[in-house]
Amino acid sequence: MPNAHSTDTVTGRDPSGADWWREAVVYQVYPRSFADGNGDGIGDLRGVLSHLDHLVELGVDAVWFSPFYPSALTDGGYDVDDYRDVDPAIGTLEEFDEVVRRLGEAGIKVVIDIVANHSSDRHAWFREALAAGRGSRARERYVFREGRGENGELPPSDWPAFFGGPAWTRVADGQWYLHLFTPHQPDWNWADAEVRADFLRTLRFWADRGVAGFRVDAAMCLTKDLSEPLPDWDDVLPGFPALVGGADGRGEGVLFGEGQNPIYDRDDVQEVYAEWRALFDSYEPPRFAVAEAWVAAHRRARYASPRSLGQVFNFDLLLASWDATAFGEVIRQNLGLAEASGSSSTWVLSNHDMPRHATRLAADPVNGTDPAGGTLDAPPPPGGTGLDRARAASMLILALPGSAYLYQGEELGLPEVSLPREVAQDPVTGKEDAAVPSRDGCRVPLPWNTQAPFFGFSEHAAHLPQPTWFGDLSVALQSGDPGSTLSLYRRALRIRRQLRTEGPVTWLDLGPRLVAFTRGARWTSVTNFGDTPAYLPPGDVLLSSRPLVDGMLPADSTAWLRNPASPA
Ligand code: GLC
Ligand code: CA
């Protein structure tokens, strides 16, 4: 059995029951890039079904599927045409049920993505709104307004879109509609009762199919200040950076104000989640949710509260540089925040929106150099520190209390791939005023074996090109290599399963270059952020991300130890 659970002796919680998510390892599948079951180049549910053994052997507790709904893919599936179906290119509802059932048999739960801020512009209700014209009931489900200026030729407010440009697009009859992301993603009007009811129906639809929980996309965006006249961002928050502001790399995260921002992190969004919570709690076990909320650390508790979604992503490590002080502060702060909110912390090093951490952590902030990823023809330069740091960081987060969210391919140590502009799919590619850089480089299809050109991802095609050297990082090759990143993850997850209920963190002060702590009586984790080897405390080494050197912990590595005093 992949998941042998025991009751947490510290909290009395049973991790296989309603609280399973508090200490879970959740593996994110980006379906179109995981595995292609029918050779059309697009990953699909058949592909997932043919690689269940990978997930079982890795030893994850849950799989979170990024959107698989019908979509024109103007934003990688986060533009949803129909919330209660599977894209025919990805599979069928029956196949989805089979995925849930077969993962369930292996003790693995399924979490799905709920994209509630916006639909796609092909959603039946948006088409209806366009056709029905101004003043119609259909337009009330979205946010349509007259423009400013003499002839309504200016956007109704100064609100910016995340992906560049204004958050408003004009339609043929002269009205404008709101979209915080691309123009193909019109925002729902969350003040509308029918919209709210329809999402409850969607949540129930999937919960009834056996889904254990939901990752709530753009959770801080849903409600807006729609009072007339619409408030300008600049009036409410004068001089405030329009988008990603205030990320200081030390855990304060993204600042959007204190609930008065017209479009982000408004206090009234919690009324939506209170309704969702009632629905989640009507199930046995209660359905779980985690909020994707890019908000300041001190505002995260609102989303993590047991009366709200229950858990929230902590993205601070996506913004932190490789530095013992930075990592230490992020960890301390987030353990405290999670406890104060009655939730558990979350740890994220990579996802489908950020450069992969095997590349990102190699950045040299002192010299201001950009980390070198791979290109289609050349792997990252040899001797780089990125992969060492990535392995060390992954072991570090896996030793911490809380949920670890892993992104497909990080268990292979995949680097970011810089792709030529011609193959770009991500709508932010080349947009200077977007809040994020192009995200295609972390969405390249996975290498399963060494056979070029598609490396077992597909027989015939891949929707994004894979580098010529991808076979060297394939699952097949790494499976047989005890020193590989895949073997490290498998062993780390196995040890974590045995020890994760050990208890809270006690910090060890081993000097300024090290982050070290024990969990309960038995488990010690030490990470060396310095550039020379460091002494380890006494104990049996269970696992290390790099081989020890004369019993010392090398630079850019993590070791786990079993404390000497503990019973065998
Ligand atoms: C979230 C998703 C991202 C998507 C955006 C709009 O940030 O993670 O991939 O583009 O929401 O739905
Ligand atoms: Ca396919």
Side-chain angles (χ1 to χ4, degrees):
M1 278 304 291
N3 292 316
H5 295 292
S6 61
T7 301
D8 183 331
T9 47
V10 176
T11 62
R13 289 184 182 122
D14 173 6
S16 62
D19 282 319
W20 67 269
W21 51 272
R22 287 181 182 268
E23 300 282 336
V25 174
V26 184
Y27 181 93
Q28 180 189 358
V29 167
Y30 187 77
R32 289 173 181 83
S33 298
F34 186 74
D36 175 15
N38 65 355
D40 65 355
I42 298 176
D44 47 41
L45 295 178
R46 284 272 136 233
V48 172
L49 286 167
S50 65
H51 288 292
L52 293 178
D53 57 335
H54 180 65
L55 303 168
V56 173
E57 268 178 70
L58 195 55
V60 302
D61 300 291
V63 176
W64 146 34
F65 289 96
S66 274
F68 47 75
Y69 313 105
S71 169
L73 298 184
T74 58
D75 181 23
Y78 285 88
D79 45 325
V80 178
D81 299 350
D82 178 350
Y83 290 88
R84 297 186 285 268
D85 204 353
V86 175
D87 191 313
I90 292 193
T92 63
L93 277 171
E94 290 66 39
E95 282 169 349
F96 179 82
D97 292 342
E98 192 181 340
V99 168
V100 173
R101 183 173 52 76
R102 293 200 31 214
L103 283 172
E105 284 163 8
I108 299 174
K109 299 189 165 61
V110 169
V111 173
I112 64 168
D113 224 305
I114 290 293
V115 189
N117 177 66
H118 45 266
S119 69
S120 80
D121 57 358
R122 307 198 309 176
H123 191 285
W125 278 358
F126 191 72
R127 291 174 195 244
E128 189 190 330
L130 285 185
R134 50 162 54 76
S136 61
R137 165 74 200 120
R139 286 208 176 174
E140 289 172 15
R141 299 190 191 108
Y142 292 90
V143 183
F144 280 85
R145 289 290 182 280
E146 303 301 335
R148 292 178 183 172
E150 248 170 67
N151 302 307
E153 72 283 5
L154 299 172
S157 73
D158 70 349
W159 300 348
F162 261 102
F163 292 169
W168 296 96
T169 289
R170 202 170 193 191
V171 301
D173 61 29
Q175 276 205 314
W176 298 71
Y177 67 90
L178 179 68
H179 54 83
L180 294 192
F181 294 87
T182 73
H184 296 293
Q185 294 163 294
D187 280 32
W188 291 110
N189 173 13
W190 274 91
D192 187 77
E194 205 181 352
V195 168
R196 289 194 186 212
D198 195 60
F199 270 90
L200 292 175
R201 194 177 151 210
T202 294
L203 295 170
R204 221 174 275 122
F205 178 88
W206 295 106
D208 288 345
R209 296 194 104 87
V211 157
F214 303 93
R215 177 262 188 193
V216 180
D217 186 67
M220 75 292 189
C221 294
L222 274 49
T223 57
K224 281 96 187 173
D225 184 350
L226 298 178
S227 52
E228 292 293 344
L230 292 178
D232 269 337
W233 177 298
D234 207 38
D235 290 340
V236 186
L237 297 162
F240 218 78
L243 274 176
V244 181
D248 61 2
R250 286 184 299 110
E252 200 30 45
V254 185
L255 302 167
F256 290 131
E258 298 298 328
Q260 80 278 42
N261 187 300
I263 48 179
Y264 301 130
D265 191 23
R266 298 182 57 73
D267 292 343
D268 57 9
V269 77
Q270 299 305 334
E271 294 164 21
V272 174
Y273 300 138
E275 275 180 24
W276 291 18
R277 174 47 57 193
L279 182 147
F280 297 153
D281 287 352
S282 71
Y283 285 86
E284 184 50 47
R287 296 311 189 238
F288 147 83
V290 57
E292 187 217 16
W294 288 89
V295 300
H298 70 275
R299 293 200 45 100
R300 269 187 224 137
R302 294 163 183 269
Y303 299 84
S305 154
R307 287 174 300 282
S308 179
L309 293 173
Q311 197 182 50
V312 64
F313 281 126
N314 140 36
F315 291 133
D316 299 337
L317 293 179
L318 292 174
L319 307 173
S321 47
W322 181 249
D323 173 81
T325 309
F327 268 65
E329 277 182 24
V330 164
I331 294 167
R332 269 173 239 264
Q333 186 188 28
N334 280 285
L335 290 176
L337 287 171
E339 201 181 313
S341 61
S343 185
S344 65
S345 192
T346 56
W347 310 105
V348 182
L349 290 163
S350 281
N351 64 25
H352 66 298
D353 288 330
M354 293 300 261
R356 285 187 175 278
H357 69 286
T359 297
R360 203 183 63 242
L361 292 176
D364 176 351
V366 178
N367 298 311
T369 53
D370 267 346
T375 64
L376 286 181
D377 317 310
T385 53
L387 182 58
D388 287 341
R389 292 177 178 176
R391 290 164 57 121
S394 299
M395 273 184 68
L396 169 54
I397 66 158
L398 287 168
L400 289 167
S403 308
Y405 285 82
L406 311 181
Y407 174 52
Q408 68 178 35
E410 71 165 83
E411 77 280 21
L412 306 176
L414 295 188
E416 185 75 4
V417 181
S418 17
L419 295 167
R421 274 287 279 280
E422 313 82 83
V423 302
Q425 292 179 3
D426 185 3
V428 308
T429 311
K431 293 259 172 62
E432 294 296 330
D433 57 346
V436 287
S438 174
R439 300 163 298 175
D440 289 326
C442 66
R443 299 176 179 180
V444 175
L446 294 188
W448 292 97
N449 64 34
T450 55
Q451 277 140 43
F454 307 117
F455 308 105
F457 166 72
S458 172
E459 299 270 304
H460 303 293
H463 67 101
L464 274 175
Q466 295 159 295
T468 51
W469 43 271
F470 240 28
D472 298 343
L473 297 175
S474 62
V475 173
L477 218 61
Q478 294 200 34
S479 283
D481 172 3
S484 71
T485 301
L486 179 57
S487 298
L488 182 77
Y489 268 73
R490 285 178 179 163
R491 289 167 65 193
L493 264 61
R494 197 162 306 135
I495 297 171
R496 175 189 161 94
R497 252 192 330 275
Q498 289 155 7
L499 298 182
R500 65 180 160 191
T501 54
E502 276 297 303
V505 160
T506 308
W507 293 95
L508 303 176
D509 184 3
L510 302 182
R513 301 173 301 143
L514 303 188
V515 169
F517 54 88
T518 59
R519 295 276 313 267
R522 293 200 294 172
W523 187 13
T524 298
S525 176
V526 185
T527 303
N528 183 0
F529 287 81
D531 44 24
T532 51
Y535 287 105
L536 284 169
D540 294 334
V541 176
L542 297 170
L543 188 65
S544 65
S545 64
R546 298 183 67 191
L548 300 190
V549 183
D550 299 329
M552 294 176 80
L553 182 66
D556 298 325
S557 66
T558 294
W560 289 352
L561 298 94
R562 185 184 292 273
N563 296 357
S566 66

